[in-house]
Amino acid sequence: MTPGERIRAATAADLAAIRRIEAEAFEPSRRSSNRSLRRALVSAFQQILVLDSAGSLAGYLILWPYRHTWRIYNLATDPEQRNQGIAGRLLGAAVDQARAAGARRVVLECRVDPALVRYYERRGFALAERLPDYYAEGEDALRMVLEFEAASR
């Protein structure tokens, strides 16, 4: 973390910034609806982590914490702040929470992009499967999985 940064749970006051990042970070077929984002903010199940950088949202991560498998639903950074490690810090916080909660694995889906696959592999994720037409017809996704060692359960 850099000075002035903190990862925290999102609040309703963060919705406009999350929507802006979502709209700028993802093509239309990959964006969450406004309704979905509002629901995630008030959900007793879903969690939204944000990286707050001196009062400005630099990125967010939506997490679905099932008992054994935690799923990263969305991870996005403010396009003006890319390549500063923001996604990695959010991803690390989610993985740490999952491990501490006794999860067995963290999963996510991503675009079919070799650079993105390498990014997740460097963080311990492995390619598990290809998901045809996941985002839209002709837009496949890749499922990536980070398995925790049995000793950490």
Side-chain angles (χ1 to χ4, degrees):
M1 284 296 184
T2 62
E5 278 188 354
R6 68 185 178 116
I7 294 177
R8 61 172 174 77
T11 68
D14 297 316
L15 181 59
I18 291 169
R19 282 161 128 170
R20 180 188 57 76
I21 292 170
E22 177 94 2
E24 293 176 5
F26 297 122
E27 56 274 3
S29 65
R30 293 204 48 234
R31 292 181 193 148
S32 297
S33 68
N34 291 334
R35 180 180 180 194
S36 173
L37 291 172
R38 283 192 308 272
R39 279 187 171 169
L41 279 169
V42 298
S43 172
F45 172 69
Q46 295 180 63
Q47 298 176 30
I48 301 181
L49 301 177
V50 296
L51 192 143
D52 186 323
S53 180
S56 175
L57 237 57
Y60 75 93
L61 180 145
I62 300 176
L63 188 59
W64 294 2
Y66 296 99
R67 183 173 179 201
H68 298 295
T69 301
W70 284 36
R71 180 172 178 235
I72 295 174
Y73 181 72
N74 265 5
L75 172 60
T77 60
D78 182 330
E80 293 180 11
Q81 299 186 57
R82 285 206 179 121
N83 299 313
Q84 296 179 29
I86 293 164
R89 291 193 291 282
L90 283 163
L91 188 60
V95 166
D96 289 348
Q97 284 185 19
R99 185 176 278 124
R104 295 180 182 163
R105 70 194 60 82
V106 175
V107 301
L108 58 84
E109 292 80 31
C110 68
R111 291 184 325 273
V112 179
D113 175 343
L116 196 53
V117 170
R118 283 190 304 275
Y119 175 86
Y120 288 120
E121 286 176 338
R122 285 192 307 269
R123 284 150 183 83
F125 287 80
L127 179 60
E129 65 183 307
R130 188 180 189 112
L131 305 167
D133 302 325
Y134 184 83
Y135 296 114
E137 189 173 333
E139 289 184 67
D140 296 354
L142 300 174
R143 178 161 293 136
M144 306 287 297
V145 179
L146 171 63
E147 296 277 353
F148 298 134
E149 294 181 25
S152 66
R153 287 186 210 156

